[in-house]
Amino acid sequence: MAKLLVWRIGVALGTAWLVASAVFLLSRAVAASSPQLFAAEQLTPTASSAARVATEQQYRLRLGLHQPLFYFGLLPWQWHGPRNQYHRWLTHLSRGHLGTSYRDGTAVEEHLGAALRVTLPLTGTALVLTALLALGAAMAAARKAPVRRLLLPLVYLFDSLPLFVVGLLLLVLLASPDFWPLFPSYGLESGAAPWLGNPFLDRAYHLVLPVLSLVVVGFPAVFLPTAAALRQQWQQPYVTTALAKGTPAPRVWRRHVLPNALPVFVSRVTELLPEVVAGAVVVELVFALPGMGRLLVEAAASRDLPLLIGGVLLVAVARVLAWVLADAAQMVIDPRTRTS
């Protein structure tokens, strides 16, 4: 089991490296072929041709575009050796340095660290609440038909709504002064007067609606398969045998039905992790939160390539870690997967 898990971790990290490498090479190729697109922000509309050429040359030197892109060139074939852009980026990456932002000269990892201090509590809280609520609701729906008939229409309704629509509806219903202003509509802090005088509670108060948006959208993806798996297990012959022997129904659910349905629940929760990370981009824009989503959008708008590549690498790592967690959880729950 340990060898198989190590192998899958290696494959997952290799996948993240390939994704980040592809983004780096493509972005640098575009920047090298069209430097005027990236240097245009530093020029005034009335700048002369000489000024434009000088700015483009300065831009190429700052990005290292005067060096070859990769270890070799194809047309014509030429070996460049380690003096290339990709090798330099890979060397910095191995040392934990993701580059420097073009906008303010700050290290990319500092920008990502500041953004993660907002995104991690948001996504982590949403993922935990979604998993707990979906599991509890699935158990109730599988055991009691009235609960199932009540929940299914609501779940299908939630599943049909895009995330930005849910966020906007919550803003209108629960943060608008014209309807029911229970929660703040934007930002992460109340300023000089924190809610209840506690900065931690104030931040949690501002995250209620963003977390609720992610929970509403992610709930159907976990609830529906888990409820179906529980109902399927309840109809198996071993349940009939256990009940015929006099085992109480709650104990059958707890000891037999739930453990056999857990692989479906765990796989859906781990698959939900990258979806929650992607959804955080939308939520942070809707509620004006200074997290990863807002950071990546601003980086893309300002063509800040190091910051954009670092963010993509971080999202790719989160994605492959979700796969690894899913594999590890499946190995622990289902011993049959340890030999696959």
Side-chain angles (χ1 to χ4, degrees):
M1 175 179 173
K3 291 182 179 180
L4 182 59
L5 188 58
V6 169
W7 164 254
R8 293 186 178 181
I9 291 175
V11 171
L13 293 178
T15 303
W17 167 68
L18 288 175
V19 170
S21 298
V23 173
F24 174 83
L25 294 174
L26 290 174
S27 61
R28 285 303 181 99
V30 173
S33 62
S34 304
Q36 65 275 7
L37 296 177
F38 296 86
E41 296 180 356
Q42 304 176 15
L43 296 170
T44 61
T46 59
S48 62
S49 299
R52 292 180 180 277
V53 171
T55 301
E56 290 178 10
Q57 291 178 349
Q58 183 181 6
Y59 170 78
R60 286 179 175 274
L61 289 175
R62 186 178 65 173
L63 267 67
L65 297 177
H66 60 287
Q67 294 182 342
L69 179 61
F70 200 58
Y71 293 100
F72 56 83
L74 295 177
L75 297 174
W77 169 263
Q78 184 179 2
W79 176 255
H80 300 305
R83 296 179 61 85
N84 60 78
Q85 301 175 46
Y86 179 74
H87 183 81
R88 180 183 178 186
W89 173 77
L90 202 59
T91 302
H92 290 166
L93 182 62
S94 65
R95 298 171 181 170
H97 181 51
L98 299 175
T100 304
S101 173
Y102 295 161
R103 291 182 297 173
D104 54 12
T106 305
V108 171
E109 50 268 26
E110 293 186 16
H111 279 294
L112 295 180
L116 285 176
R117 283 193 284 271
V118 177
T119 302
L120 284 181
L122 171 64
T123 55
T125 304
L127 187 65
V128 171
L129 287 179
T130 302
L132 295 178
L133 291 175
L135 182 60
M139 286 284 293
R143 296 180 64 178
K144 299 179 180 179
V147 176
R148 184 168 62 254
R149 287 194 294 267
L150 176 65
L151 286 179
L152 282 179
L154 292 176
V155 171
Y156 287 128
L157 174 63
F158 293 159
D159 197 30
S160 65
L161 295 176
L163 179 56
F164 75 93
V165 173
V166 174
L168 293 177
L169 284 175
L170 291 177
L171 277 176
V172 172
L173 296 177
L174 300 179
S176 173
D178 298 328
F179 193 81
W180 205 4
L182 293 179
F183 301 97
S185 59
Y186 67 92
L188 200 60
E189 297 176 351
S190 299
W195 188 66
L196 295 181
N198 189 314
F200 176 79
L201 293 178
D202 183 53
R203 174 166 290 201
Y205 177 55
H206 281 74
L207 287 177
V208 169
L209 292 185
V211 168
L212 184 58
S213 301
L214 293 174
V215 170
V216 168
V217 174
F219 180 84
V222 181
F223 168 81
L224 292 173
T226 305
L230 288 169
R231 282 177 52 80
Q232 182 183 19
Q233 292 298 323
W234 180 252
Q235 296 170 359
Q236 295 300 314
Y238 72 86
V239 173
T240 305
T241 303
L243 293 175
K245 291 181 177 181
T247 306
R251 186 175 181 181
V252 174
W253 279 99
R254 186 176 61 255
R255 292 289 185 89
H256 303 286
V257 176
L258 180 59
N260 287 329
L262 272 183
V264 175
F265 169 74
V266 171
S267 64
R268 289 307 303 152
V269 170
T270 51
E271 289 175 7
L272 185 65
L273 174 59
E275 297 176 10
V276 170
V277 173
V281 176
V282 178
V283 168
E284 289 169 0
L285 289 177
V286 172
F287 293 94
L289 300 177
M292 280 293 301
R294 184 174 172 182
L295 183 67
L296 290 179
V297 170
E298 292 177 353
S302 62
R303 303 183 182 92
D304 196 341
L305 294 183
L307 191 55
L308 190 60
I309 294 170
V312 170
L313 176 61
L314 192 62
V315 173
V317 169
R319 181 89 184 187
V320 298
L321 284 180
W323 296 339
V324 172
L325 289 175
D327 288 340
Q330 291 288 359
M331 291 178 189
V332 172
I333 294 173
D334 190 355
R336 295 172 297 179
T337 61
R338 300 175 188 177
T339 57
S340 58

Short mmCIF file of all heavy atoms in Angstrom, two decimals, residues 203-250:
data_model
loop_
_atom_site.label_atom_id
_atom_site.label_comp_id
_atom_site.label_asym_id
_atom_site.label_seq_id
_atom_site.Cartn_x
_atom_site.Cartn_y
_atom_site.Cartn_z
N ARG A 203 -14.17 38.58 10.63
CA ARG A 203 -13.82 37.94 9.35
C ARG A 203 -14.76 36.77 9.06
O ARG A 203 -15.19 36.59 7.91
CB ARG A 203 -12.37 37.46 9.40
CG ARG A 203 -11.95 36.65 8.20
CD ARG A 203 -10.45 36.48 8.12
NE ARG A 203 -9.78 37.72 7.80
CZ ARG A 203 -8.55 37.80 7.28
NH1 ARG A 203 -7.88 36.69 7.03
NH2 ARG A 203 -8.00 38.95 7.01
N ALA A 204 -15.08 35.98 10.09
CA ALA A 204 -16.02 34.88 9.89
C ALA A 204 -17.39 35.40 9.46
O ALA A 204 -18.07 34.79 8.62
CB ALA A 204 -16.14 34.06 11.17
N TYR A 205 -17.79 36.53 10.04
CA TYR A 205 -19.07 37.15 9.69
C TYR A 205 -19.10 37.55 8.21
O TYR A 205 -20.11 37.37 7.52
CB TYR A 205 -19.28 38.36 10.60
CG TYR A 205 -20.52 39.17 10.35
CD1 TYR A 205 -21.78 38.57 10.34
CD2 TYR A 205 -20.44 40.54 10.13
CE1 TYR A 205 -22.92 39.33 10.13
CE2 TYR A 205 -21.57 41.30 9.93
CZ TYR A 205 -22.81 40.69 9.91
OH TYR A 205 -23.93 41.44 9.71
N HIS A 206 -17.99 38.07 7.70
CA HIS A 206 -17.92 38.47 6.30
C HIS A 206 -17.86 37.27 5.36
O HIS A 206 -18.19 37.40 4.18
CB HIS A 206 -16.69 39.35 6.07
CG HIS A 206 -16.86 40.77 6.50
ND1 HIS A 206 -16.87 41.15 7.82
CD2 HIS A 206 -17.06 41.90 5.78
CE1 HIS A 206 -17.05 42.47 7.90
NE2 HIS A 206 -17.17 42.94 6.68
N LEU A 207 -17.45 36.10 5.86
CA LEU A 207 -17.31 34.92 5.01
C LEU A 207 -18.58 34.06 4.98
O LEU A 207 -18.60 33.05 4.27
CB LEU A 207 -16.13 34.06 5.49
CG LEU A 207 -14.74 34.59 5.22
CD1 LEU A 207 -13.68 33.66 5.81
CD2 LEU A 207 -14.49 34.78 3.73
N VAL A 208 -19.61 34.46 5.71
CA VAL A 208 -20.82 33.62 5.77
C VAL A 208 -21.43 33.44 4.39
O VAL A 208 -21.69 32.32 3.94
CB VAL A 208 -21.83 34.22 6.76
CG1 VAL A 208 -23.18 33.51 6.63
CG2 VAL A 208 -21.32 34.10 8.18
N LEU A 209 -21.69 34.52 3.70
CA LEU A 209 -22.33 34.42 2.39
C LEU A 209 -21.44 33.77 1.34
O LEU A 209 -21.93 32.94 0.55
CB LEU A 209 -22.80 35.80 1.92
CG LEU A 209 -23.94 36.44 2.71
CD1 LEU A 209 -24.39 37.73 2.06
CD2 LEU A 209 -25.11 35.48 2.84
N PRO A 210 -20.13 34.10 1.26
CA PRO A 210 -19.29 33.36 0.31
C PRO A 210 -19.25 31.86 0.58
O PRO A 210 -19.31 31.06 -0.36
CB PRO A 210 -17.90 34.01 0.52
CG PRO A 210 -18.20 35.38 1.00
CD PRO A 210 -19.41 35.25 1.85
N VAL A 211 -19.14 31.47 1.85
CA VAL A 211 -19.13 30.04 2.17
C VAL A 211 -20.47 29.41 1.83
O VAL A 211 -20.53 28.30 1.26
CB VAL A 211 -18.79 29.83 3.66
CG1 VAL A 211 -19.05 28.39 4.09
CG2 VAL A 211 -17.33 30.20 3.93
N LEU A 212 -21.55 30.10 2.13
CA LEU A 212 -22.88 29.57 1.83
C LEU A 212 -23.07 29.38 0.32
O LEU A 212 -23.70 28.40 -0.11
CB LEU A 212 -23.94 30.50 2.40
CG LEU A 212 -25.40 30.05 2.26
CD1 LEU A 212 -25.61 28.70 2.94
CD2 LEU A 212 -26.34 31.11 2.85
N SER A 213 -22.52 30.27 -0.47
CA SER A 213 -22.61 30.13 -1.93
C SER A 213 -21.95 28.85 -2.39
O SER A 213 -22.50 28.09 -3.20
CB SER A 213 -21.96 31.34 -2.61
OG SER A 213 -22.58 32.54 -2.23
N LEU A 214 -20.74 28.58 -1.89
CA LEU A 214 -20.03 27.36 -2.29
C LEU A 214 -20.73 26.11 -1.77
O LEU A 214 -20.75 25.08 -2.46
CB LEU A 214 -18.59 27.42 -1.76
CG LEU A 214 -17.69 28.49 -2.38
CD1 LEU A 214 -16.34 28.52 -1.67
CD2 LEU A 214 -17.49 28.23 -3.87
N VAL A 215 -21.30 26.19 -0.58
CA VAL A 215 -22.00 25.02 -0.02
C VAL A 215 -23.25 24.70 -0.85
O VAL A 215 -23.51 23.53 -1.17
CB VAL A 215 -22.37 25.28 1.45
CG1 VAL A 215 -23.30 24.19 1.97
CG2 VAL A 215 -21.11 25.33 2.31
N VAL A 216 -24.01 25.71 -1.21
CA VAL A 216 -25.24 25.49 -1.98
C VAL A 216 -24.93 24.84 -3.33
O VAL A 216 -25.62 23.91 -3.76
CB VAL A 216 -26.00 26.82 -2.16
CG1 VAL A 216 -27.10 26.68 -3.20
CG2 VAL A 216 -26.58 27.30 -0.84
N VAL A 217 -23.87 25.30 -3.99
CA VAL A 217 -23.54 24.77 -5.31
C VAL A 217 -22.89 23.38 -5.21
O VAL A 217 -23.14 22.52 -6.05
CB VAL A 217 -22.60 25.75 -6.04
CG1 VAL A 217 -22.12 25.15 -7.35
CG2 VAL A 217 -23.33 27.06 -6.31
N GLY A 218 -22.09 23.15 -4.18
CA GLY A 218 -21.41 21.87 -4.06
C GLY A 218 -22.22 20.77 -3.41
O GLY A 218 -21.91 19.58 -3.57
N PHE A 219 -23.26 21.14 -2.69
CA PHE A 219 -24.08 20.15 -1.96
C PHE A 219 -24.67 19.07 -2.87
O PHE A 219 -24.57 17.88 -2.54
CB PHE A 219 -25.19 20.89 -1.20
CG PHE A 219 -26.09 20.00 -0.42
CD1 PHE A 219 -25.75 19.59 0.86
CD2 PHE A 219 -27.30 19.58 -0.95
CE1 PHE A 219 -26.59 18.77 1.60
CE2 PHE A 219 -28.15 18.76 -0.22
CZ PHE A 219 -27.79 18.35 1.05
N PRO A 220 -25.27 19.39 -4.01
CA PRO A 220 -25.86 18.31 -4.83
C PRO A 220 -24.84 17.29 -5.32
O PRO A 220 -25.16 16.10 -5.44
CB PRO A 220 -26.49 19.08 -6.01
CG PRO A 220 -26.71 20.45 -5.49
CD PRO A 220 -25.58 20.71 -4.56
N ALA A 221 -23.62 17.74 -5.63
CA ALA A 221 -22.62 16.82 -6.17
C ALA A 221 -22.23 15.74 -5.18
O ALA A 221 -21.80 14.65 -5.58
CB ALA A 221 -21.37 17.61 -6.59
N VAL A 222 -22.37 16.00 -3.88
CA VAL A 222 -22.05 15.00 -2.86
C VAL A 222 -23.30 14.27 -2.41
O VAL A 222 -23.30 13.05 -2.20
CB VAL A 222 -21.35 15.66 -1.66
CG1 VAL A 222 -20.99 14.63 -0.60
CG2 VAL A 222 -20.09 16.40 -2.11
N PHE A 223 -24.39 15.00 -2.26
CA PHE A 223 -25.62 14.42 -1.72
C PHE A 223 -26.21 13.35 -2.64
O PHE A 223 -26.55 12.24 -2.19
CB PHE A 223 -26.65 15.53 -1.47
CG PHE A 223 -28.03 15.02 -1.19
CD1 PHE A 223 -28.38 14.58 0.07
CD2 PHE A 223 -28.99 14.97 -2.20
CE1 PHE A 223 -29.65 14.10 0.33
CE2 PHE A 223 -30.26 14.50 -1.95
CZ PHE A 223 -30.59 14.07 -0.68
N LEU A 224 -26.35 13.65 -3.92
CA LEU A 224 -27.06 12.74 -4.82
C LEU A 224 -26.36 11.38 -4.96
O LEU A 224 -27.02 10.33 -4.79
CB LEU A 224 -27.23 13.40 -6.19
CG LEU A 224 -28.19 14.60 -6.22
CD1 LEU A 224 -28.17 15.28 -7.58
CD2 LEU A 224 -29.60 14.15 -5.88
N PRO A 225 -25.06 11.31 -5.25
CA PRO A 225 -24.43 9.98 -5.33
C PRO A 225 -24.41 9.25 -3.99
O PRO A 225 -24.55 8.02 -3.95
CB PRO A 225 -23.00 10.30 -5.81
CG PRO A 225 -23.05 11.66 -6.38
CD PRO A 225 -24.11 12.38 -5.61
N THR A 226 -24.21 10.00 -2.89
CA THR A 226 -24.16 9.34 -1.58
C THR A 226 -25.52 8.76 -1.21
O THR A 226 -25.61 7.63 -0.71
CB THR A 226 -23.70 10.34 -0.51
OG1 THR A 226 -22.44 10.91 -0.90
CG2 THR A 226 -23.54 9.66 0.83
N ALA A 227 -26.58 9.51 -1.44
CA ALA A 227 -27.93 9.00 -1.14
C ALA A 227 -28.25 7.79 -2.00
O ALA A 227 -28.84 6.81 -1.52
CB ALA A 227 -28.95 10.10 -1.36
N ALA A 228 -27.86 7.82 -3.27
CA ALA A 228 -28.10 6.67 -4.15
C ALA A 228 -27.32 5.45 -3.68
O ALA A 228 -27.84 4.32 -3.70
CB ALA A 228 -27.74 7.04 -5.58
N ALA A 229 -26.06 5.65 -3.28
CA ALA A 229 -25.25 4.53 -2.79
C ALA A 229 -25.83 3.94 -1.50
O ALA A 229 -25.85 2.71 -1.31
CB ALA A 229 -23.81 4.99 -2.57
N LEU A 230 -26.30 4.78 -0.61
CA LEU A 230 -26.90 4.30 0.63
C LEU A 230 -28.16 3.49 0.36
O LEU A 230 -28.38 2.42 0.96
CB LEU A 230 -27.21 5.48 1.55
CG LEU A 230 -26.00 6.17 2.20
CD1 LEU A 230 -26.42 7.47 2.86
CD2 LEU A 230 -25.34 5.25 3.23
N ARG A 231 -29.00 3.98 -0.53
CA ARG A 231 -30.22 3.24 -0.85
C ARG A 231 -29.91 1.91 -1.53
O ARG A 231 -30.57 0.90 -1.29
CB ARG A 231 -31.10 4.10 -1.77
CG ARG A 231 -31.87 5.18 -1.01
CD ARG A 231 -32.68 6.07 -1.96
NE ARG A 231 -33.52 5.27 -2.85
CZ ARG A 231 -34.69 4.74 -2.50
NH1 ARG A 231 -35.15 4.91 -1.26
NH2 ARG A 231 -35.39 4.04 -3.39
N GLN A 232 -28.88 1.92 -2.37
CA GLN A 232 -28.49 0.68 -3.03
C GLN A 232 -28.00 -0.35 -2.03
O GLN A 232 -28.32 -1.54 -2.11
CB GLN A 232 -27.42 0.96 -4.08
CG GLN A 232 -26.98 -0.26 -4.86
CD GLN A 232 -25.88 0.04 -5.83
OE1 GLN A 232 -25.19 1.05 -5.71
NE2 GLN A 232 -25.69 -0.82 -6.81
N GLN A 233 -27.18 0.10 -1.08
CA GLN A 233 -26.68 -0.82 -0.06
C GLN A 233 -27.82 -1.33 0.84
O GLN A 233 -27.80 -2.49 1.27
CB GLN A 233 -25.61 -0.12 0.80
CG GLN A 233 -24.33 0.18 0.07
CD GLN A 233 -23.64 -1.07 -0.43
OE1 GLN A 233 -23.65 -2.11 0.24
NE2 GLN A 233 -23.05 -0.99 -1.61
N TRP A 234 -28.80 -0.50 1.12
CA TRP A 234 -29.92 -0.92 1.97
C TRP A 234 -30.73 -2.03 1.31
O TRP A 234 -31.38 -2.82 2.01
CB TRP A 234 -30.79 0.29 2.27
CG TRP A 234 -31.97 -0.03 3.13
CD1 TRP A 234 -33.28 -0.06 2.76
CD2 TRP A 234 -31.96 -0.35 4.53
NE1 TRP A 234 -34.09 -0.38 3.84
CE2 TRP A 234 -33.29 -0.57 4.94
CE3 TRP A 234 -30.94 -0.46 5.47
CZ2 TRP A 234 -33.64 -0.89 6.24
CZ3 TRP A 234 -31.28 -0.79 6.78
CH2 TRP A 234 -32.61 -1.00 7.15
N GLN A 235 -30.70 -2.11 0.00
CA GLN A 235 -31.45 -3.13 -0.72
C GLN A 235 -30.66 -4.42 -0.96
O GLN A 235 -31.17 -5.33 -1.62
CB GLN A 235 -31.91 -2.56 -2.07
CG GLN A 235 -32.87 -1.38 -1.94
CD GLN A 235 -33.12 -0.67 -3.25
OE1 GLN A 235 -32.55 -1.04 -4.28
NE2 GLN A 235 -33.96 0.36 -3.21
N GLN A 236 -29.44 -4.50 -0.42
CA GLN A 236 -28.62 -5.68 -0.63
C GLN A 236 -29.09 -6.84 0.27
O GLN A 236 -29.68 -6.61 1.35
CB GLN A 236 -27.15 -5.37 -0.33
CG GLN A 236 -26.54 -4.36 -1.29
CD GLN A 236 -26.58 -4.83 -2.73
OE1 GLN A 236 -26.24 -5.97 -3.04
NE2 GLN A 236 -27.01 -3.95 -3.63
N PRO A 237 -28.80 -8.08 -0.12
CA PRO A 237 -29.24 -9.24 0.68
C PRO A 237 -28.66 -9.27 2.09
O PRO A 237 -29.32 -9.78 3.02
CB PRO A 237 -28.77 -10.44 -0.14
CG PRO A 237 -28.68 -9.93 -1.55
CD PRO A 237 -28.26 -8.51 -1.43
N TYR A 238 -27.45 -8.77 2.28
CA TYR A 238 -26.87 -8.84 3.62
C TYR A 238 -27.66 -8.01 4.62
O TYR A 238 -27.68 -8.31 5.83
CB TYR A 238 -25.40 -8.41 3.60
CG TYR A 238 -25.16 -6.93 3.40
CD1 TYR A 238 -25.17 -6.07 4.49
CD2 TYR A 238 -24.90 -6.40 2.15
CE1 TYR A 238 -24.94 -4.72 4.33
CE2 TYR A 238 -24.68 -5.06 1.97
CZ TYR A 238 -24.70 -4.21 3.06
OH TYR A 238 -24.47 -2.88 2.90
N VAL A 239 -28.33 -6.95 4.15
CA VAL A 239 -29.16 -6.15 5.04
C VAL A 239 -30.38 -6.96 5.48
O VAL A 239 -30.75 -6.96 6.66
CB VAL A 239 -29.58 -4.85 4.35
CG1 VAL A 239 -30.59 -4.08 5.22
CG2 VAL A 239 -28.37 -3.98 4.07
N THR A 240 -30.98 -7.65 4.53
CA THR A 240 -32.13 -8.50 4.87
C THR A 240 -31.74 -9.58 5.88
O THR A 240 -32.48 -9.86 6.84
CB THR A 240 -32.69 -9.15 3.60
OG1 THR A 240 -33.01 -8.13 2.65
CG2 THR A 240 -33.95 -9.95 3.91
N THR A 241 -30.56 -10.16 5.68
CA THR A 241 -30.08 -11.19 6.61
C THR A 241 -29.85 -10.62 8.00
O THR A 241 -30.23 -11.23 9.02
CB THR A 241 -28.78 -11.80 6.07
OG1 THR A 241 -29.01 -12.33 4.76
CG2 THR A 241 -28.28 -12.90 6.99
N ALA A 242 -29.22 -9.45 8.05
CA ALA A 242 -28.96 -8.83 9.36
C ALA A 242 -30.24 -8.48 10.08
O ALA A 242 -30.38 -8.70 11.30
CB ALA A 242 -28.09 -7.59 9.16
N LEU A 243 -31.23 -7.96 9.36
CA LEU A 243 -32.51 -7.64 9.99
C LEU A 243 -33.24 -8.90 10.44
O LEU A 243 -33.90 -8.91 11.49
CB LEU A 243 -33.37 -6.83 9.02
CG LEU A 243 -32.87 -5.43 8.65
CD1 LEU A 243 -33.75 -4.80 7.58
CD2 LEU A 243 -32.82 -4.53 9.89
N ALA A 244 -33.14 -9.97 9.64
CA ALA A 244 -33.81 -11.23 10.01
C ALA A 244 -33.20 -11.83 11.26
O ALA A 244 -33.89 -12.54 12.02
CB ALA A 244 -33.72 -12.22 8.85
N LYS A 245 -31.93 -11.56 11.51
CA LYS A 245 -31.28 -12.06 12.72
C LYS A 245 -31.61 -11.22 13.95
O LYS A 245 -31.14 -11.52 15.05
CB LYS A 245 -29.77 -12.09 12.53
CG LYS A 245 -29.30 -13.15 11.52
CD LYS A 245 -27.79 -13.14 11.41
CE LYS A 245 -27.31 -14.24 10.46
NZ LYS A 245 -25.81 -14.27 10.34
N GLY A 246 -32.35 -10.15 13.77
CA GLY A 246 -32.74 -9.32 14.90
C GLY A 246 -31.87 -8.12 15.15
O GLY A 246 -32.02 -7.45 16.17
N THR A 247 -30.97 -7.82 14.24
CA THR A 247 -30.12 -6.65 14.41
C THR A 247 -30.96 -5.39 14.24
O THR A 247 -31.68 -5.25 13.25
CB THR A 247 -28.97 -6.64 13.38
OG1 THR A 247 -28.27 -7.88 13.46
CG2 THR A 247 -28.01 -5.49 13.63
N PRO A 248 -30.89 -4.44 15.17
CA PRO A 248 -31.67 -3.20 15.02
C PRO A 248 -31.28 -2.45 13.74
O PRO A 248 -30.11 -2.43 13.34
CB PRO A 248 -31.33 -2.41 16.28
CG PRO A 248 -30.83 -3.43 17.25
CD PRO A 248 -30.14 -4.48 16.43
N ALA A 249 -32.26 -1.80 13.14
CA ALA A 249 -32.02 -1.08 11.89
C ALA A 249 -30.97 0.03 12.03
O ALA A 249 -30.10 0.17 11.15
CB ALA A 249 -33.34 -0.50 11.37
N PRO A 250 -30.98 0.83 13.12
CA PRO A 250 -29.93 1.85 13.24
C PRO A 250 -28.52 1.25 13.26
O PRO A 250 -27.59 1.83 12.69
CB PRO A 250 -30.27 2.55 14.56
CG PRO A 250 -31.73 2.33 14.74
CD PRO A 250 -32.00 0.97 14.19
#
